[in-house]
Amino acid sequence: MYQNILRHPGPTPIPKKVELAMAQNMISHRSEEFTRLYQETTERVKTIFGTKQDIMLLPSGGTAALEAAVANTASAGDEVVVVTIGAFGDYFVSICEKHGLNVHKLEKGWGEACTKEELADFLKPLSNIKAVFATYNETSTGILNPVEQLAEAVHEHSDALFIVDGVSCIGGAPAEMDKWGIDILVTGSQKALMLPPGLALAAVSERAWRVIEANRTTVYYLDLLSYREWAAKSMTPNTPAISLIMGLSAVCDLIEEEGGFSKTVKRHEVMKNMVREAMKALSIELLADDEYASPTLTTIRTPKGLDLSVFLTHLKKKYHLDFAGGLGQLQGKVFRFGHMGYCFPSDILQAVSLMEAGLQDFSYPFESGAGVKAAQNVFLSSIQK
């Protein structure tokens, strides 16, 4: 039985150390053992978020954390801005509209980032904006929004909160929540954090807490004030995903063993460049420009002359190499190469090599080994620095 080589933008492969941590004997979520686990683990995760604020753990997918950010900060009729550059920016729009918010949508083309100047110009004629929502890493396009600069635009041209979806990059991309002026930052467990789905993480600024305290929310399960109250006791208001929190502790161990989070970020940058240079060497077009390319996934256009669905099915069936297809308006036009979390340069070389084998099966014209060589050169250059 061959092992599936999962190169998706989530869920992602799980390290053996994390699997073993999650297989520990179950404990009560109201026990001393759990409060110690909760306190120690959330404290260690703060480095990944770049914050001194408490990290709250929700037993849910990342979508629930996005909805919590919306429902706790704004009420029906409030004016908000959503920056959307793809499918998951549209996700934020849908959540806001579902809660009856008056949404001003700043929409960019799929494959483009939003700049500080564009957001500033969009905000200038608006007033009474309660919050600005943006996606840090757009999973459908492989674009990394310049959220540090977007935060500057928000705070220079409004009194709004700046709320960021970091689901597909936190743990693999730089994050300085406090320094950049992000008011709420959320993520999910199944991507760069190397865990199975089922755990969401959120951090809230002091400024955002004041807004939440004054906001009349109707949510119960996603009430962040309740999570804050219980976090003070190193617990959660409802039954948490205990095994996943055990696994999260092991994830923190792995990051420390790598040499700290800065080294983890550097590894993701190296893998991004390996994939991009490999595709360029194979004359396969990329969706994102280098300036805004994601460090956790690369969106790749269909190789010329190939039927993408047939090609991806062939790669998975013959070589057990599993890429993700496109979403929304990019479906059938691109595929997504995930390189986040428990992924290393050797995995990139393996995937590119198998992809080359698949291209040969379809008589795609290229110099054999060109992609592998280009990726290898990036890797060798990185370890010589």
Side-chain angles (χ1 to χ4, degrees):
M1 177 68 71
Y2 286 97
Q3 181 177 350
N4 189 45
I5 303 168
L6 187 64
R7 294 271 63 89
H8 272 232
T12 61
I14 312 299
K16 181 59 66 177
K17 182 169 185 173
V18 174
E19 290 180 344
L20 292 173
M22 292 188 297
Q24 295 178 79
N25 292 335
M26 186 51 57
I27 59 176
S28 167
H29 65 297
R30 298 296 185 235
S31 65
E32 291 184 7
E33 293 94 335
F34 178 78
T35 58
R36 185 165 55 251
L37 170 69
Y38 181 100
Q39 185 175 34
E40 292 175 355
T41 304
T42 55
E43 187 65 30
R44 297 167 79 190
V45 173
K46 290 179 181 180
T47 300
I48 300 172
F49 275 65
T51 187
K52 295 180 180 179
Q53 301 299 324
D54 289 336
I55 305 294
M56 289 170 290
L57 305 178
L58 287 66
S60 66
T63 302
L66 300 181
E67 184 163 19
V70 172
N72 282 268
T73 58
S75 301
D78 284 342
E79 306 278 335
V80 299
V81 168
V82 178
V83 177
T84 175
I85 62 171
F88 291 91
D90 291 345
Y91 222 47
F92 245 150
V93 172
S94 297
I95 294 170
C96 290
E97 290 178 342
K98 189 74 172 180
H99 284 269
L101 307 184
N102 185 7
V103 178
H104 301 271
K105 184 165 66 169
L106 196 177
E107 187 171 14
K108 295 297 302 291
W110 287 37
E112 299 177 8
C114 180
T115 67
K116 175 182 177 179
E117 293 73 23
E118 288 169 332
L119 180 54
D121 289 342
F122 191 84
L123 288 170
K124 286 174 184 176
L126 302 176
S127 60
N128 300 318
I129 299 299
K130 192 78 173 287
V132 176
F133 300 91
T135 310
Y136 188 2
N137 191 73
E138 177 50 65
T139 320
S140 63
T141 62
I143 293 289
L144 193 75
N145 257 328
V147 292
E148 178 181 6
Q149 297 171 30
L150 298 185
E152 292 175 356
V154 171
H155 299 313
E156 288 172 6
H157 299 284
S158 77
D159 295 321
L161 298 178
F162 185 47
I163 298 173
V164 174
D165 164 8
V167 170
S168 64
C169 66
I170 297 302
E176 295 291 346
M177 176 181 163
D178 296 349
K179 181 179 177 181
W180 294 349
I182 296 173
D183 290 297
I184 299 181
L185 179 61
V186 306
T187 194
S189 56
Q190 76 277 18
K191 296 183 181 286
L193 290 180
M194 303 182 275
L195 289 162
L199 184 68
L201 298 83
V204 180
S205 72
E206 293 298 331
R207 184 165 171 265
W209 279 125
R210 290 192 292 272
V211 172
I212 291 170
E213 289 164 357
N215 185 57
R216 289 188 174 184
T217 182
T218 58
V219 293
Y220 177 81
Y221 193 70
L222 298 177
D223 184 355
L224 292 180
L225 289 173
S226 179
Y227 274 89
R228 183 177 67 171
E229 177 184 346
W230 282 88
K233 298 180 283 188
S234 298
M235 293 183 185
T236 56
N238 306 294
T239 306
I242 298 171
S243 295
L244 291 176
I245 298 172
M246 292 174 172
L248 181 59
S249 177
V251 168
C252 293
D253 289 341
L254 290 172
I255 290 173
E256 289 177 6
E257 291 168 11
E258 188 169 14
F261 186 54
S262 62
K263 293 290 183 64
T264 303
V265 169
K266 180 180 178 182
R267 168 168 54 87
H268 282 80
E269 276 293 311
V270 170
M271 293 190 296
K272 173 194 79 174
N273 292 330
M274 290 176 69
V275 173
R276 295 182 69 79
E277 291 307 311
M279 294 305 109
K280 292 173 185 177
L282 296 172
S283 299
I284 299 175
E285 295 181 6
L286 301 166
L287 183 67
D289 292 335
D290 289 344
E291 183 179 4
Y292 297 113
S294 165
T296 58
L297 73 136
T298 299
T299 302
I300 302 165
R301 296 187 186 274
T302 303
K304 291 179 181 177
L306 272 61
D307 181 306
L308 183 59
S309 178
V310 173
F311 179 59
L312 294 181
T313 300
H314 178 77
L315 287 178
K316 186 173 182 180
K317 184 175 181 180
K318 184 173 181 180
Y319 300 107
H320 312 283
L321 178 60
D322 192 359
F323 289 128
L327 296 175
Q329 60 184 259
L330 293 176
Q331 189 171 5
K333 300 177 181 179
V334 303
F335 65 98
R336 294 173 295 151
F337 187 140
H339 38 82
M340 69 179 83
Y342 193 52
C343 182
F344 298 88
S346 57
D347 297 306
I348 304 302
L349 293 173
Q350 177 195 45
V352 173
S353 177
L354 293 174
M355 184 178 163
E356 284 198 16
L359 290 170
Q360 287 180 330
D361 293 338
F362 284 82
S363 300
Y364 177 83
F366 71 101
E367 180 185 346
S368 181
V372 174
K373 182 178 180 181
Q376 188 178 63
N377 286 340
V378 172
F379 173 55
L380 292 175
S381 177
S382 73
I383 62 177
Q384 291 168 358
K385 291 180 179 178

